[in-house]
């Protein structure tokens, strides 16, 4: 078995087994406890893969580019392309080697492996960057019914009403502004920037709190308890 064929098979196997849950971390952040309720934990991915002998995973990858998964929604096509970019390049390298007059040329093999390694490191680095950037800061609940206006990545306004006790996700906080995040499979993530004074007066308790590397939230009332847990 040639090196290029083995590389393509290994990358395809790794993409199928680990690609979907790894993409969940990249899109929704490293702390799964802050993920939207519709997004299943990666443990459920491996359980479903085991129980269905891989058929559930293949079905998920079929729905992914169609935008029909709860975890990625409209982002599915780009997630699918990111997961299988390296395996596709590996298969292209293998196909090109078969077409050459000297398919075992060592120099070309080393060059192909080097290119794939660089692409893998770039993809892994970008995934880690996205995972860190997308990580949530806290979950909070409001003390009364509030209506907030969010904006999607395409600047489309989305109006959402939170009921008393309903959880909202905080992604960043400063002295003047609290940024909330909302997920929908129809439009991805949307954000809303809220006045910090109003927020601390209405967000009466946190559910979970992740201590930021640079503490920036100013606890201005007793109703929003910022004790780190």
């Amino acid at each position: 078995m040639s090196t290029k064929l083995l590389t393509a098979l290994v990358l395809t196997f790794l993409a199928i087994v680990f690609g979907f849950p790894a993409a969940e971390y990249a899109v929704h952040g490293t702390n799964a406890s802050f993920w939207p309720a519709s997004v299943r934990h990666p443990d459920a991915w491996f359980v479903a893969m085991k129980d269905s002998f891989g058929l559930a995973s293949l079905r998920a990858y079929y729905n992914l580019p169609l935008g029909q998964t709860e975890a990625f929604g409209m982002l599915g096509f780009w997630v699918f392309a990111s997961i299988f970019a390296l395996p596709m390049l590996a298969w292209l390298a293998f196909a090109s080697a078969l077409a050459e007059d000297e398919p075992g040329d060592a120099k070309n093999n080393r060059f192909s492996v080097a290119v794939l390694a660089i692409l893998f490191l770039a993809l892994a680095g970008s995934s880690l960057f996205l995972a860190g950037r997308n990580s949530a800061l806290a979950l909070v609940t409001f003390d009364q019914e509030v209506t907030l206006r969010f904006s999607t990545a395409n600047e489309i306004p989305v109006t959402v009403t939170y009921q008393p006790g309903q959880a909202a996700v905080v992604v960043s906080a400063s002295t003047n502004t609290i940024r909330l995040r909302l997920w929908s499979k129809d439009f991805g993530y949307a954000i809303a920037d809220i006045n910090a004074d109003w927020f601390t007066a209405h967000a009466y308790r946190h559910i979970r709190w992740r201590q930021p590397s640079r503490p920036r939230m100013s606890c201005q009332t007793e109703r929003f308890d910022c004790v780190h847990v």
Side-chain angles (χ1 to χ4, degrees), residues 32 54-55 72 75 85-86 94 114 130 151 155 170 202-203 212-213 226-227:
L55 294 179
F72 303 110
L75 304 177
L86 284 177
F94 171 68
L130 288 173
S151 295
E155 301 298 329
V170 179
H202 292 83
S213 56
C226 291
V227 177

Side-chain angles (χ1 to χ4, degrees), residues 54-71:
L55 294 179
S57 301
L58 295 177
R59 191 159 49 245
Y61 282 120
Y62 173 80
N63 292 327
L64 187 57
L66 302 178
Q68 297 177 358
T69 61
E70 293 292 338

Side-chain angles (χ1 to χ4, degrees), residues 6 27 31 58 82 85 88 91 98 100 156 180 193 211 217:
L6 179 61
V27 172
N31 193 334
L58 295 177
S82 298
M88 286 300 299
W91 284 109
L98 292 179
E100 293 176 357
I156 299 174
L180 303 182
D193 290 328
Q211 183 173 357
M217 177 169 282

Side-chain angles (χ1 to χ4, degrees), residues 12-33:
T12 301
F13 174 79
L14 292 176
I16 293 174
V17 175
F18 299 106
F20 198 98
E24 286 183 317
Y25 281 109
V27 172
H28 300 293
T30 54
N31 193 334
S33 63

Side-chain angles (χ1 to χ4, degrees), residues 48 53 55 79 87 96-97 102 118 121 127 129 131 133 149 155 157 161 170 179 186 189 193 226:
F53 301 99
L55 294 179
V79 171
S96 65
E102 297 180 5
I118 293 172
L121 291 175
S127 297
F129 170 77
R133 189 191 69 175
R149 181 167 177 164
E155 301 298 329
T161 299
V170 179
R179 173 164 287 185
D186 297 324
Y189 274 116
D193 290 328
C226 291

